[in-house]
Amino acid sequence: MSTSEGSALPAAPAPRSLDDALALMKDLRVRCDWDRVQTHASLRPYLIEEAHEVDDAIAGGDDAVLRDELGDLLLQVLFHSVVAEERGAFSMQDVAGALIAKMHARHPHLYGDGIKRSWESMKAQKAKRSTLEDGLPSGMPSLHRAHRLQDRAAGVGFDWDNALGPLAKVREEVEEVAQLIDPETGAVHDADALEAELGDLLFAVVNLCRKTGVHGALALDRTNAKFVRRYATMERLAAADGKSLPDLSLEEQDFYWDAVKRGEKVD
């Protein structure tokens, strides 16, 4: 059961402040051989890993795990800040100051002139980027990137009025994909053209997700987990019958797949 549903968190150490954590990080840079030699570049894999572990903790719904993983992610923020301060670039206080200034600027209705504006429209008005993708990380996963690009375009008014537009676009793109696949043999007429059309279809699906308040990456994560769960159940059902999935025909595998789906509906 998730700790958010009532179970108590394991006892945490005595309360400490962010200043204590920053002081610890600075001490580690002086006295720990491993910490002393790290750089921004060498720390990159750990930052990415910790961000994914925070995401896993959120999905798992365990507050104790989330608390600990957020601490690990905070360590990375402190680590990079201390390394930067040693280089004379900026300090943790500068990081905090930049964050506060940015949040004030993004919420003018709370800290400014009282007029509420969309985040993307404010960023576009500042004209700080010359292209739609300026500022987006080069390594951002494709589904996230598509969502952000569409968000940015919507910020300047280039967007559908509602979900009906992207829904129609998805149907249109499906038809264009279908035209490149032989309806009788399933053969692909033009592999390069098919790749392009499938990309258009995926982009349209992301847009439909966005207009309905769903993030495409999260929706796909959910379906991936469902597929893994169902496949594992298929394996168990087949094993209970003394069979192994790889040895079964597609029709026999489908029998177990349908049985799993029926069982989920009953549950």
Side-chain angles (χ1 to χ4, degrees):
M1 180 176 67
S2 167
T3 54
S4 61
E5 296 177 352
S7 61
L9 286 173
R16 297 283 189 172
S17 70
L18 286 177
D19 286 339
D20 293 328
L22 181 59
L24 172 64
M25 188 67 254
K26 291 181 177 180
D27 184 53
L28 289 172
R29 285 287 284 180
V30 173
R31 298 200 293 147
C32 175
D33 293 339
W34 186 88
D35 290 278
R36 184 185 304 115
V37 299
Q38 299 309 308
T39 65
H40 292 303
S42 70
L43 290 169
R44 286 182 61 197
Y46 303 103
L47 176 62
I48 295 169
E49 179 181 340
E50 296 302 347
H52 281 295
E53 291 184 1
V54 168
D55 187 58
D56 283 347
I58 293 172
D62 189 315
D63 287 338
V65 175
L66 177 58
R67 177 195 64 198
D68 292 346
E69 294 300 344
L70 284 171
D72 291 343
L73 184 58
L74 175 60
L75 171 66
Q76 294 302 310
V77 175
L78 295 173
F79 213 147
H80 281 282
S81 298
V82 170
V83 171
E85 184 173 6
E86 292 170 355
R87 294 189 295 107
F90 56 81
S91 68
M92 187 64 208
Q93 288 70 29
D94 295 325
V95 172
L99 169 64
I100 293 171
K102 184 181 293 185
M103 290 301 101
H104 282 184
R106 288 181 182 176
H107 299 81
H109 58 297
L110 300 178
Y111 306 108
D113 57 19
I115 301 174
K116 190 170 185 177
R117 308 178 184 90
S118 76
W119 176 11
E120 291 299 340
S121 64
M122 286 189 292
K123 292 176 75 174
Q125 289 170 4
K126 290 180 180 178
K128 288 188 175 181
R129 61 173 184 255
S130 59
T131 69
L132 188 66
E133 61 180 359
D134 276 0
L136 293 182
S138 59
M140 177 180 285
S142 296
L143 283 177
H144 285 274
R145 191 177 193 82
H147 190 105
R148 292 295 294 120
L149 290 173
Q150 293 167 6
D151 263 349
R152 288 186 167 192
V156 296
F158 189 60
D159 196 15
W160 302 97
D161 291 334
N162 53 51
L164 295 178
L167 177 59
K169 187 64 176 176
V170 168
R171 290 171 174 157
E172 175 187 326
E173 297 297 346
V174 168
E175 283 302 313
E176 293 183 4
V177 167
Q179 291 172 13
L180 294 171
I181 300 176
D182 190 289
E184 295 182 1
T185 67
V188 175
H189 298 310
D190 185 331
D192 185 66
L194 180 61
E195 179 181 308
E197 293 299 342
L198 285 171
D200 291 345
L201 175 57
L202 288 170
F203 195 81
V205 170
V206 171
N207 214 0
L208 177 59
C209 289
R210 184 182 61 84
K211 289 301 291 185
T212 55
V214 173
H215 198 295
L218 298 181
L220 185 57
D221 282 345
R222 182 174 181 175
T223 296
N224 286 341
K226 179 169 61 178
F227 182 80
V228 169
R229 183 181 69 248
R230 287 177 172 177
Y231 192 87
T233 305
M234 283 175 62
E235 291 180 313
R236 289 195 296 271
L237 291 177
D241 292 337
K243 301 176 181 179
S244 174
L245 282 184
D247 298 330
L248 302 180
S249 67
L250 178 58
E251 290 74 19
E252 291 172 314
Q253 291 176 349
D254 280 340
F255 169 81
Y256 286 107
W257 179 260
D258 291 337
V260 172
K261 293 175 66 177
R262 286 194 302 271
E264 287 186 350
K265 290 179 181 179
V266 171
D267 293 341

